[in-house]
Amino acid sequence: MKYYLLFGPPGAGKGTQAKLLVEKFNFHHVSTGDLLRKEIAKGSELGLKAKTLIDAGNFVDDSIVVGMIESEIAANPDASGFLFDGFPRTVAQAEILDKMLEGKGSQVNKVISIIISDEMVFQRIQHRANIEGRKDDADPKTIQNRIDTYHAKTEPLIEYYKPQGKYNEICGEGTVVEIFEKISSLL
Ligand code: ADP
């Protein structure tokens, strides 16, 4: 089983690219953000816990997202491969993922990183706020908190994966098609 990670700041276009990649490569797409929003919509206990954190632009506990990832892997034994989007988001999550996959005789095969500037993150998220109505997209303070959290907690993953030879970086400021072609050529 192959495991690919889509990495990058909020608004980098991970969700957009994931949809296209799933059509082309038939991966099973797992977005922890989408899974959490589904729990919120259901009004589950997990969703209620997650909502306050997400709305403020903070991360949800590692144990919650790790549990969701484990369930997705277990529920899709026939997948041709997995495309994780928004996970791992901390070095601690990456370490847990490595152990989990090692137990299955697998590993992360490649990390595809889509990088855009902080200014572009702001612009894209403010634009998305009008389309998707996400509360965490609406308030500039929350957007700034997500950008700061990305730099502090998620960016260190670059140095985690680089020495393993798994890290591939793409500039996310081109057109959707251009970026899709670049990612496709890496997979
Ligand atoms: P974006 O890429 O725009 O930040 P996502 O949909 O990936 O949006 O995530 C939305 C929110 O869900 C995050 O800001 C965070 O609060 C929570 N979340 C998603 N994935 C994780 C994760 N792996 N660990 C902790 N929190 C997460």
Side-chain angles (χ1 to χ4, degrees):
M1 184 74 76
K2 302 258 190 195
Y3 295 88
Y4 298 103
L5 309 185
L6 263 187
F7 175 91
K14 301 184 293 287
T16 304
Q17 293 299 328
K19 275 196 203 96
L20 298 171
L21 292 165
V22 163
E23 275 170 28
K24 178 163 181 168
F25 295 101
N26 203 26
F27 297 136
H28 184 71
H29 173 214
V30 185
S31 156
T32 40
D34 286 350
L35 290 173
L36 288 165
R37 281 185 289 276
K38 268 188 206 149
E39 292 297 325
I40 294 172
K42 271 199 271 176
S44 68
E45 201 181 317
L46 190 160
L48 289 175
K49 250 198 226 166
K51 186 174 174 10
T52 325
L53 292 164
I54 292 179
D55 285 352
N58 295 319
F59 284 171
V60 171
D61 297 355
D62 289 348
S63 59
I64 291 183
V65 286
V66 167
M68 293 191 319
I69 291 284
E70 274 175 327
S71 311
E72 282 290 316
I73 294 176
N76 295 281
D78 301 326
S80 66
F82 284 86
L83 183 65
F84 293 148
D85 151 9
F87 178 89
R89 243 178 167 91
T90 61
V91 171
Q93 290 179 11
E95 286 168 351
I96 298 171
L97 177 65
D98 278 352
K99 283 208 189 81
M100 196 195 296
L101 297 185
E102 207 180 291
K104 300 175 191 302
S106 288
Q107 57 171 318
V108 169
N109 294 89
K110 248 179 206 176
V111 180
I112 313 283
S113 171
I114 309 175
I115 296 296
I116 61 173
S117 66
D118 289 356
E119 292 73 28
M120 181 75 82
V121 171
F122 239 101
Q123 276 177 27
R124 291 219 187 140
I125 291 186
Q126 280 182 322
H127 174 69
R128 187 170 73 184
N130 302 321
I131 300 169
E132 295 183 10
R134 276 171 56 175
K135 201 169 173 193
D136 61 340
D137 284 348
D139 176 14
K141 270 199 211 116
T142 308
I143 301 174
Q144 190 59 52
N145 185 26
R146 285 158 67 199
I147 293 174
D148 294 345
T149 308
Y150 167 77
H151 288 304
K153 295 191 180 165
T154 307
E155 217 166 42
L157 283 171
I158 297 175
E159 292 312 318
Y160 182 85
Y161 287 113
K162 253 189 198 166
Q164 302 179 29
K166 294 178 179 171
Y167 184 78
N168 300 271
E169 192 168 292
I170 283 169
C171 170
E173 301 196 0
T175 67
V176 170
V177 173
E178 273 164 14
I179 296 160
F180 176 61
E181 280 166 3
K182 280 190 204 159
I183 299 178
S184 296
S185 68
L186 288 169
L187 294 175

